[in-house]
Amino acid sequence: MSAVTESGVVDAVTKELFIGGKWTPATSGATFPVHDPATGAVLCEVADASASDGMAALDAAVSAQAEWAAHPPRERGEILRRAYDALLARQEELALLMTLEMGKPLAESRGEVAYAAEFFRWFAEEAVRIDGGYAVAPNGSGRFLVTKQPVGPSLLITPWNFPMAMGTRKIGPAVAAGCTMVVKPAEQTPLSMLALARILADAGLPDGVLNVVTTSDAGGVMEPLIRDGRARKLSFTGSTAVGRLLLEQCADKVLRTSMELGGNAPFVVFADADLDAAVDGATVAKLRNAGQSCVAANRFLVHDSVAREFARRLADRFAGLRVGRGDVAGVDVGPLIDAKAVAKVAELVDDATDRGAQVLTGGGRPDGPGTFFEPTVLAGVDRDARAVREEIFGPVAPVVGFADDDEAFALANDTEYGLAAYAYTTSLDRALRVGAELDAGMIGINRGMVSDASAPFGGMKQSGLGREGGEAGLEEFLETVYVAL
Ligand code: SIN
């Protein structure tokens, strides 16, 4: 593609199902619309798969499994490496496509394409490092040979908030391990995944290894595949509520699961923190993707001695940010994904103010079309306010005071979630204590972002099961087999 234009990037995507290496319309001929959340306009229509299309995709994945498992690891890695190069070469057009269907500012979309590509580079390198073990039985009576095998056909369900990176974070290790797959992207953002499927096919991925079904009926298409029994793994990123339901469905055929679910990340600012650095980190942790991330800072727990000053500085920072359509130069914060998301965020702000919170900046929707919400800072927030207890998934920062470290840790852990946490302190002792005390799978110390393709991403408690990225991400797609000799 020469000039990167809005219509050009949308037109370039094949808006059909990708099954067994072929692009195909839904058998019913149905399609569903993809919207631009910044304007509400329909960008295009894509194929709307039914249960029988989903089953055809699983058939294709099952047929390709044995041959793919036997494919040399080096070649599996090289496919990923070629796809990594292609993603970077096409960063600009893929970023615009993502901004159009998801809303995030172009700079963030470029960042996500690079982040997405990193998963392919990482797992390209890991594909050739799948090893095993050999041991003598402790009583000398035999030998143990330990090998790793692909877990088998896998079902991958990806979210709308990071429509490409959450795909590569699952597809990368599945390809590296030798698993075939059926991918179902979120209904709101199918285009990034369809573009990714084309890139992988062009990079040499054999037919049937990756199958993509776009659908407006996620449950109707995926539940039969989960219950079928031929798929051996489900990897899901999304809400805890849907994760629970999927876990129940997986129990029947005892599927391996990776669940990357909701969060309620505390962002703890201790009295000894560098406040300017904390405001920088808080802005990233809160406003990346307009707060629509499961690792977004949800609650700002700030020592009483600096709470007022921190909230004031954060409000000044937020007030200077520009909200708008993601492809407009200078825009810092894009729209929320849909009107329902805006209504939920507005409800949480109202609940906090009803309980006495003060709005330091923002607090509402700007005038005009699109599903926007202003970057908002709330001070003096009640500890039981819904914005403190529930995942906000929007650009709202509730600030809550604490008196001492023990109280900060107790407040931070007072949630059913345990995905990410952040802390700002200049004391090494305190930083180490944070690492030991907080119930979270990922902890950022003096930084507002923890995501990295080479690190194990995941949570504890009701934030999920398993890890993605890093060495652990590959293990999730491997079975351990031991042969007694
Ligand atoms: C997520 O919010 O689902 C993932 C964010 C990330 O990988 O940084």
Side-chain angles (χ1 to χ4, degrees):
M1 171 177 297
S2 43
V4 176
T5 62
E6 289 185 15
S7 56
V9 296
V10 174
D11 289 350
V13 177
T14 308
K15 297 159 196 82
E16 294 184 324
L17 313 177
F18 186 59
I19 298 179
K22 304 218 164 15
W23 294 96
T24 161
T27 39
S28 66
T31 60
F32 66 88
V34 183
H35 294 97
D36 174 349
T39 61
V42 173
L43 291 168
C44 62
E45 296 272 334
V46 303
D48 194 359
S50 60
S52 63
D53 295 315
M55 209 43 89
L58 180 58
D59 291 344
V62 170
S63 305
Q65 178 58 55
E67 210 178 312
W68 181 236
H71 214 80
R74 173 69 75 201
E75 284 179 26
R76 298 202 299 257
E78 281 170 357
I79 292 166
L80 288 175
R81 177 64 206 208
R82 284 194 290 275
Y84 161 82
D85 289 336
L87 281 168
L88 292 187
R90 295 174 52 188
Q91 185 174 20
E92 209 50 40
E93 69 191 84
L94 294 169
L96 180 56
L97 185 69
M98 190 184 299
T99 289
L100 289 174
E101 67 172 347
M102 192 275 149
K104 64 182 76 184
L106 261 183
E108 287 193 41
S109 292
R110 287 187 194 107
E112 184 178 336
V113 175
Y115 179 42
E118 275 310 319
F119 286 105
F120 280 175
R121 178 157 68 166
W122 173 262
F123 287 110
E125 291 159 354
E126 290 295 284
V128 290
R129 318 234 180 281
I130 299 170
D131 54 15
Y134 177 80
V136 178
N139 65 5
S141 66
R143 304 285 182 270
F144 301 153
L145 178 66
V146 180
T147 64
K148 296 287 171 80
Q149 297 182 2
V151 75
S154 299
L155 307 174
L156 315 180
I157 304 180
T158 61
W160 52 262
N161 60 344
F162 290 89
M164 189 162 280
M166 298 306 96
T168 58
R169 189 151 86 183
K170 296 179 193 307
I171 295 168
V175 168
C179 297
T180 61
M181 67 211 90
V182 177
V183 183
K184 191 211 71 69
E187 178 185 349
Q188 296 91 333
T189 56
L191 302 178
S192 297
M193 182 58 68
L194 293 170
L196 191 58
R198 170 76 69 187
I199 284 171
L200 280 160
D202 291 349
L205 196 66
D207 293 351
V209 174
L210 170 79
N211 304 279
V212 180
V213 285
T214 51
T215 181
S216 64
D217 179 16
V221 171
M222 295 311 287
E223 186 173 352
L225 306 194
I226 293 169
R227 295 200 185 277
D228 178 273
R230 288 177 296 160
R232 293 309 311 144
K233 159 137 195 124
L234 173 71
S235 177
F236 170 70
T237 298
S239 70
T240 295
V242 175
R244 270 192 209 106
L245 197 76
L246 292 171
L247 281 168
E248 277 173 29
Q249 294 173 7
C250 287
D252 195 30
K253 292 288 191 314
V254 194
L255 264 61
R256 280 272 293 271
T257 58
S258 301
M259 293 276 153
E260 205 262 273
L261 308 178
N264 181 0
F267 187 104
V268 188
V269 182
F270 291 96
D272 64 359
D274 172 339
L275 278 199
D276 286 331
V279 167
D280 288 345
T283 305
V284 174
K286 180 72 258 183
L287 294 184
R288 173 175 178 238
N289 221 18
Q292 302 170 106
S293 164
C294 41
V295 290
N298 209 56
R299 310 165 276 152
F300 292 80
L301 309 177
V302 188
H303 190 266
D304 288 332
S305 64
V306 291
R308 185 187 288 261
E309 180 58 15
F310 172 80
R312 187 190 63 74
R313 290 195 208 178
L314 190 64
D316 283 352
R317 177 69 64 84
F318 279 21
L321 298 174
R322 188 160 164 211
V323 178
R325 190 165 192 245
D327 67 336
V328 174
V331 160
D332 303 293
V333 181
L336 300 191
I337 191 69
D338 55 25
K340 205 166 132 214
V342 175
K344 153 116 198 255
V345 172
E347 249 180 54
L348 297 189
V349 171
D350 289 347
D351 171 75
T353 53
D354 288 349
R355 294 170 190 258
Q358 237 185 306
V359 179
L360 299 191
T361 188
R365 309 154 206 220
D367 295 334
T371 47
F372 295 95
F373 202 89
E374 295 163 333
T376 298
V377 177
L378 303 172
V381 180
D382 188 288
R383 292 168 183 193
D384 286 324
R386 288 181 56 198
V388 174
R389 309 215 69 90
E390 296 177 26
E391 188 173 35
I392 302 171
F393 241 61
V396 175
V399 179
V400 175
F402 67 82
D404 58 34
D405 290 11
D406 287 342
E407 189 181 24
F409 297 138
L411 282 172
N413 288 337
D414 184 18
T415 167
E416 70 262 32
Y417 295 112
L419 191 59
Y422 305 88
Y424 274 71
T425 175
T426 48
S427 153
L428 179 60
D429 276 356
R430 194 174 259 132
L432 292 173
R433 205 173 154 216
V434 166
E437 297 277 348
L438 294 195
D439 299 337
M442 297 168 282
I443 302 178
I445 302 288
N446 295 327
R447 50 187 292 172
M449 197 157 132
V450 290
S451 313
D452 191 300
S454 62
F457 189 106
M460 50 177 76
K461 293 158 75 178
Q462 293 183 40
S463 285
L465 300 167
R467 293 293 181 269
E468 295 191 305
E471 286 172 40
L474 184 58
E475 282 296 322
E476 301 278 340
F477 287 86
L478 293 169
E479 289 284 11
T480 299
V481 176
Y482 115 79
V483 181
L485 303 165

